[in-house]
Amino acid sequence: MHRKLPCLLVFILVLASHVEAQTQFWSDNFEDAGSPSSGSRVVSVAEFIACTSPTLSYFKRTTGAEISPIVFSGFTGAKFWAAMDIDKGPGCGANNTISAAQSITWSGINISGKTGLSFRGLFGANSAALFQGLPFLPAMDSMSIAYRINGGAWIKIVGMYSNDNTASGGPLGFDLDGDRIGDGGSYTLGNNLSEITAVIPGTGTTLDLRFNIFVNNQNPGAMAFDNFRLYSSSVLPLTWASFNARKQDNGIALDWSTASEQHTKDFTVQHKTETGTWNDIAVVAAAGNSSSLRSYNYTHLSPVNGVNYYRIQQTDLDGRESFSDVRMIRFSDVTQRFIIKENPVVNGVLKVQVNQPADLFLYDAQGRLIWRQQQASGLISIPMDRHSKGIYALKCKDEVRRVVVQ
């Protein structure tokens, strides 16, 4: 049976590609620098992580290494925001030491002259957890997004609640009809973050955005979110004609074409793995102006072993962009960029087999970069005896390995 959706709660789960004819004008991907892109971010309680070994209580930007054993994927950049059992607080106190309801507010985002506004963000929740639903009101686990224009009333546009409306609880899911119950199926959140798009009706001069969360669920009841963005409508000066990907020798050959172009600047070839995030791998100059079929190509010489996704981002001279469809191709003739030979590390030396030239990064449990090296192929040894025992993360491009030092 179909249910009628309130006009302010219309949003679409985006699985593969961006919505066409939209221009991003604001973002916060929770990195250490450049976030948010404009305006201010105010957190209701200072970031914290407590009850370590294992980690049980946190509300913090993280690389993921410090919240072991829960693993999230599908986030962008080095950091995302994670939360679990907030009410124990930064001192790892008893339940209800602080409120389990916290928020993040962004203020002063300029929307002058912009129309057709929309919000996009990535959200996840540990699939092994059962979250409290309506029977626990007001102590129900949830995440939501609200906005206001020109200082007006707050209006909720995205909500995530337990799929199970009983005292047993259930997984967290997107709520499409505003009844504060997750809608299950493909709308269920998991450890691989999913993107949501929500329409923001109206326009004005300034926009404020607010993220609300309630979670007093203990391990494994973790939630995660990342890469909040705002878009406005635009008419893009390009018509896509085709986009194809095929295996060719030791790489993936990509070719695409346009039926017409006006004031186009370039094409950025983007790649991601099955659980990774989009990465720019090449930039190809565009025609600029054309009323006939134009063809382009690029060969990716370092696909991963397994599933590879590709898309093309077109950018015009005004900074507006559009995206091709997504293409998937399996590649089985290459190996992983690096392999950890002994994990956990017990003798103070981390041994890594590097299968192709790589720029390796090693982060500690707090997300701090403690070692970096450009390395040719071969077996390398990284001294770990001067570092404390715990969880570390070794990263190369979109490949991340968890390292345990004992």
Side-chain angles (χ1 to χ4, degrees):
M1 179 174 123
H2 295 286
R3 290 171 286 188
K4 185 176 180 180
L5 307 185
C7 62
L8 296 181
L9 289 174
V10 178
F11 46 90
I12 304 166
L13 187 64
V14 178
L15 298 177
S17 61
H18 290 281
V19 177
E20 296 281 339
Q22 288 272 293
T23 300
Q24 179 180 314
F25 66 88
W26 177 90
S27 68
D28 192 345
N29 58 6
F30 305 123
E31 300 301 311
D32 292 332
S35 296
S37 59
S38 66
S40 62
R41 181 212 299 153
V42 176
V43 184
S44 59
V45 63
E47 295 181 44
F48 71 89
I49 187 164
C51 308
T52 55
S53 299
T55 301
L56 296 177
S57 179
Y58 44 86
F59 182 61
K60 188 180 185 296
R61 295 177 308 120
T62 175
T63 63
E66 59 198 329
I67 62 172
S68 175
I70 296 172
V71 177
F72 286 104
S73 60
F75 53 90
T76 62
K79 291 189 175 182
F80 62 99
W81 206 297
M84 186 170 69
D85 210 8
I86 293 175
D87 62 309
K88 281 188 171 63
C92 193
N95 289 333
N96 302 313
T97 298
I98 67 171
S99 174
Q102 299 297 335
S103 66
I104 307 173
T105 303
W106 296 263
S107 302
I109 302 171
N110 184 7
I111 58 171
S112 297
K114 293 180 170 58
T115 59
L117 302 176
S118 65
F119 164 85
R120 297 177 195 170
L122 301 174
F123 298 91
N126 190 6
S127 58
L130 297 178
F131 294 96
Q132 298 174 171
L134 276 174
F136 293 88
L137 192 68
M140 57 186 298
D141 297 315
S142 64
M143 292 187 285
S144 65
I145 294 290
Y147 78 98
R148 67 180 179 182
I149 293 177
N150 296 345
W154 287 102
I155 300 172
K156 184 176 71 173
I157 51 171
V158 172
M160 287 142 279
Y161 305 92
S162 173
N163 287 342
D164 190 330
N165 188 27
T166 71
S168 299
L172 214 64
F174 291 117
D175 170 25
L176 273 67
D177 56 6
D179 62 359
R180 291 188 290 185
I181 302 172
D183 284 279
S186 63
Y187 300 108
T188 299
L189 297 179
N191 294 64
N192 186 35
L193 275 61
S194 298
E195 180 168 281
I196 197 79
T197 294
V199 174
I200 300 178
T203 190
T205 304
T206 59
L207 181 142
D208 302 329
L209 197 65
R210 176 168 289 171
F211 170 79
N212 296 298
I213 188 171
F214 186 104
V215 56
N216 60 6
N217 200 326
Q218 298 181 3
N219 186 24
M223 301 180 186
F225 51 96
D226 191 25
N227 199 22
F228 289 0
R229 289 149 288 151
L230 292 173
Y231 289 76
S232 62
S233 295
S234 60
V235 179
L236 298 170
L238 177 139
T239 302
W240 292 97
S242 67
F243 175 40
N244 301 294
R246 66 186 187 281
K247 181 179 176 181
Q248 185 179 71
D249 298 328
N250 293 323
I252 305 296
L254 308 171
D255 58 78
W256 64 98
S257 61
T258 62
S260 64
E261 299 180 34
Q262 292 183 17
H263 306 298
T264 53
K265 178 186 176 185
D266 55 40
F267 297 93
T268 302
V269 181
Q270 297 183 330
H271 169 261
K272 72 184 291 291
T273 61
E274 195 162 22
T275 59
T277 57
W278 290 109
N279 292 293
D280 298 345
I281 58 174
V283 177
V284 177
N289 292 284
S290 172
S291 58
S292 59
L293 189 69
R294 301 297 294 260
S295 298
Y296 303 87
N297 62 79
Y298 174 77
T299 299
H300 186 204
L301 296 177
S302 55
V304 301
N305 189 31
V307 175
N308 295 261
Y309 292 96
Y310 297 93
R311 71 180 181 189
I312 309 297
Q313 173 188 302
Q314 178 272 325
T315 305
D316 69 17
L317 294 174
D318 296 326
R320 294 178 296 176
E321 59 189 33
S322 67
F323 290 83
S324 70
D325 292 335
V326 175
R327 296 289 179 260
M328 184 274 284
I329 190 165
R330 293 183 181 273
F331 197 86
S332 58
D333 292 337
V334 297
T335 59
Q336 297 172 323
R337 289 188 176 89
F338 65 95
I339 298 172
I340 297 174
K341 303 296 287 185
E342 298 177 4
N343 199 10
V345 176
V346 294
N347 60 356
V349 178
L350 171 59
K351 294 183 179 181
V352 182
Q353 176 64 46
V354 181
N355 295 321
Q356 51 185 279
D359 196 2
L360 297 174
F361 300 80
L362 184 64
Y363 298 89
D364 65 12
Q366 285 71 48
R368 295 172 299 200
L369 180 64
I370 61 172
W371 179 88
R372 175 183 179 180
Q373 183 169 304
Q374 288 185 335
Q375 179 63 43
S377 300
L379 182 65
I380 64 171
S381 297
I382 304 173
M384 299 297 294
D385 51 357
R386 63 178 179 270
H387 300 297
S388 60
K389 297 179 181 179
I391 304 296
Y392 295 78
L394 186 63
K395 180 177 181 181
C396 174
K397 294 187 177 180
D398 54 1
E399 294 184 29
V400 180
R401 307 281 188 275
R402 191 179 299 272
V403 179
V404 179
V405 176
Q406 296 182 345

